[in-house]
Amino acid sequence: MIKKLALFLFFLVFSGYLFAQNPNIKIKKEKEVQNVNDIKDVKDAKNVKDEKQAFIDNLLSKMTLQEKAGQLRLISVGGDLTLDKVLDQIEAGEIGGIFNTVVEPDLFQMQERALKSPNKIPLFFGFDIIHGHRTVFPINLGIASTWDRGAIAKAAEVSANEATSDGLNITWAPMVDITRDPRWGRVSEGFGEDPYLTSEAGRIFVQKMQKQSLADKKSLVTAVKHFALYGAVEGGREYNSTDMSERKMFQEYLVPYKAAIDSGSRAVMVSLVSVNGIPATANHWLLTEVLRNQWHFDGVVVSDHGAIRELINHGVASDPKDAVRVAIKAGIDMSMNDEYFLQFLPELVKEGAITEDEVNQACRRILELKYDMGLFSDPNRNLDPKLDIDTMFADNRLHREEARDVARRSIVLLKNENGILPLAKNKKIAVIGPLADSKRDILGSWSGAGRANLAVTPLEGIKSAVKNSKLVNYAFGANLSDDANLYRFLNLYGETAKFDNRPADKMIAEAVKIAKKSDVVIAFVGEAEGMAHESSSRTDLSLPASQKRLLKALKATGKPLVIALMNGRPLTLSEEYAQADAMLETWFLGTEGGNAIADVLFGQYNPSGKLPMSFPDNVGQIPVYYSHLNTGRPHGTENMGKYTTSYFDSPNEPLFPFGFGLSYTDFAMDFSLSSTEMNKEGEIVVTVNVENIGNKEGMQTVQLYLQDVTASVSRPVKELIGFENITLKPQSKGQVKFVINYDMLKFWNDKMQYVAEPGKFNVFIGSDSTTQDKQMFTLLDK
């Protein structure tokens, strides 16, 4: 016993000596403990996964084929499908999810009926929450114009918080379709023309909406859409076909979808278009080989509204039953606005056209999603059966302030001749135009849960800012258009667009009279929200003739003219740009839009927005985008005369380039590279010195572009690979740093391998995509 005690004491003393000589022993022990914890975490995760699998295996074993088919159905109440009929189908276990209902008592009633179904499987509830919910934020093209990750995050976070408070579980967002054709109506829903900017916005939306765990009661599952290439429809015509090389797909158009999926998006919505001759809903290569096998996506794949039926029109299915077979074989899990799954899936299994394993796999993914949402343990989460409609639409001041901040960051200053802006609040102001006092239009498309009566119009925002209402006078000025067919089209959306029956010359005369008595004229012109929406493609992107006549008359008064655009896509504005003393792109800014516009007009906020899409000089240039490939005869090549890639009747360049946006102050920038050489394991630090050389505080977005000078395939003249914001007081300096690593140099080569090739790279730094400020480094072959 004494010997054992002596040995023990010796061990303690010796251990202390070792520790004194080498304190890293403690660190090693801590690491060992950490490893034990890691093992425990892995075991816990495996246990959770095993529990989930066992739960779902047991559930599937008890479900009939009819019930499994029911889980694959996403249904909307309306038309012949009344609430009573839907409730009966829910109780029979024939519906898996509901969309387009946001009234909580109805949702609660549906969920209660689901809990009476044979296996008591809860529903999930979905809605299009594109740019806000009860509080409406700017359209996504506006949110992208912030080039501000914090602003993008705030829009996504508030949207999810409000939606989940309404009992919703899933949204058909974010929309990350790249588009370079502003004729397409759904431009307003996306984040623009660029893969990197769109990927960043999509990534942030997924992370801020879904949260870290789907079990979080504020978690809103995202269904990234529209997979794939919806924004590349030929001619910008809605639902048209797309045809694209595999390299262009993977290098540019597929990038944002993958970024959203890599960020954890648990669902994908499929596009309505054909991709290289095969409708996306029937495209096994797209939905299975790429999405499942290459990208390892294990979430739920949802068809778009009515897409199964449309396979017949596409000519890839002979009848409804065949359409169901084609969709399931391609990789569709859930049919939105389902008409045929319940009717034909059991029959197709019995005939051997599809297997029950295929149905089980689709059903399992939906059940797994519901399990991870926590619906099996708390099916009524966030549902209040007594919540009244007024409470649902209650004014949330905090959310409104956040929406106002994002809205003013979305505004892009396009022109400011002689520093006419910001305006002094003691000036007499004429507010004129068909959009100046439109509560519905300022909300933009896909704002179905918002309330127009809560929106602040530009006129209201300006009056509130000025305080003295006698200084502000308003005239309607002109109808949006003289075309009666446009109004019929708009009213199909239930918009009831305002049409003034007075003669056009009398409306203009009234506007001119008010303008002449004012110190400055602010004209709000552009599009109604229904003109920038799904199925709202245009061939003419200029302002309608009625609005052009109004602007011409206002310009003739000699008063300073500020043109404030309200629109959901790039327009052709060469004539208006020449007329304007100042021009603002305000998009459709949402609930607090009018206040945000006033903040910028009067200098409470210095505009910082940058364009996420190029604005064409004319429609004939389309598609016009900054990251095009070079040609063998580039525009401007010396000694080539007319034999270069150019138009003889138009400039090559857009009116406003990607990334463009002015400020009430001025900035100067210079930059340096940490090295002129880089190997595979290395990196290059780009240090940018930024100075505010003006007399107002402002924010500058520093943009980093890259050009691979020589490669196995032609590479773009520039590609955006980074951006950062910096706010500086007048005459102050700051620094922004970027890191370029090996992976950022990769592209899809001539053998469709994702590689970086040794050679020279140009680095560009600037305030928009036209920057020529560049330096070069070499990627070494080692």
Side-chain angles (χ1 to χ4, degrees), residues 403-419:
R404 179 174 181 167
D405 185 52
V406 174
R408 60 192 187 179
R409 292 172 187 272
S410 301
I411 296 170
V412 185
L413 179 63
L414 299 175
K415 185 178 183 181
N416 195 23
E417 205 164 85
N418 300 319

Side-chain angles (χ1 to χ4, degrees), residues 106 120 134 143 155 185 204 212 218 259 429 508 618 651 726 747:
D106 287 352
K120 299 178 175 54
R134 301 299 184 190
I143 291 173
I204 293 167
Q212 290 187 335
K218 291 297 181 184
I429 301 171
I508 288 179
N618 57 75
I726 183 169
F747 67 99

Side-chain angles (χ1 to χ4, degrees), residues 185-400:
R186 301 190 81 165
V187 164
S188 61
E189 289 177 62
F191 299 105
E193 72 181 50
D194 182 68
Y196 179 76
L197 180 60
T198 300
S199 294
E200 282 293 275
R203 173 185 65 79
I204 293 167
F205 259 66
V206 170
Q207 291 174 349
K208 291 299 178 180
M209 283 184 155
Q210 287 195 165
K211 310 293 190 288
Q212 290 187 335
S213 168
L214 300 194
D216 186 328
K217 286 193 174 184
K218 291 297 181 184
S219 172
L220 184 71
V221 170
T222 58
V224 61
K225 67 181 184 184
H226 304 87
F227 191 66
L229 312 188
Y230 197 11
V233 287
E234 292 179 352
R237 196 174 75 238
E238 186 69 84
Y239 316 126
N240 206 2
S241 301
T242 63
D243 203 291
M244 186 180 293
S245 72
E246 193 173 331
R247 178 175 298 106
K248 194 171 185 70
M249 276 192 222
F250 279 88
Q251 190 65 48
E252 300 172 33
Y253 281 77
L254 294 183
V255 171
Y257 306 113
K258 188 169 190 302
I261 288 164
D262 288 345
S263 297
S265 184
R266 287 294 300 273
V268 167
M269 177 179 279
V270 179
S271 73
L272 290 166
V273 302
S274 286
V275 176
N276 292 355
I278 303 172
T281 309
N283 199 315
H284 185 273
W285 174 78
L286 189 67
L287 301 185
T288 299
E289 294 178 38
V290 174
L291 185 61
R292 298 286 189 199
N293 299 343
Q294 292 182 34
W295 294 0
H296 309 294
F297 177 69
D298 60 359
V300 175
V301 175
V302 186
S303 79
D304 205 338
H305 195 288
I308 309 299
R309 170 175 38 83
E310 292 170 17
L311 294 179
I312 303 167
N313 293 338
H314 277 292
V316 297
S318 57
D319 53 37
K321 183 176 173 181
D322 193 38
V324 173
R325 178 191 63 81
V326 169
I328 289 289
K329 288 289 186 183
I332 294 291
D333 295 321
M334 201 167 202
S335 170
M336 175 177 272
N337 196 40
D338 179 62
E339 300 170 84
Y340 304 135
F341 269 30
L342 188 67
Q343 183 178 354
F344 294 115
L345 267 176
E347 193 176 325
L348 286 164
V349 171
K350 289 174 185 174
E351 293 173 355
I354 61 176
T355 67
E356 188 163 359
D357 281 346
E358 288 172 313
V359 177
N360 286 346
Q361 184 64 270
C363 188
R364 176 180 292 278
R365 293 184 185 116
I366 293 159
L367 296 175
E368 284 179 346
L369 182 59
K370 291 179 178 182
Y371 187 98
D372 292 342
M373 285 175 170
L375 290 176
F376 284 104
S377 58
D378 185 11
N380 287 320
R381 74 175 196 171
N382 298 325
L383 287 175
D384 182 353
K386 298 178 181 178
L387 189 68
D388 64 277
I389 195 75
D390 290 330
T391 303
M392 289 168 68
F393 282 100
D395 234 358
N396 188 314
R397 293 311 307 171
L398 174 60
H399 288 178
R400 289 188 72 124

Side-chain angles (χ1 to χ4, degrees), residues 79 90 124 147 162 196 210 224 248 506 511 637 712 715 747:
I90 290 170
F124 60 58
W147 287 60
E162 290 191 352
Y196 179 76
Q210 287 195 165
V224 61
K248 194 171 185 70
K506 287 193 174 182
T637 305
S712 57
R715 303 287 290 119
F747 67 99

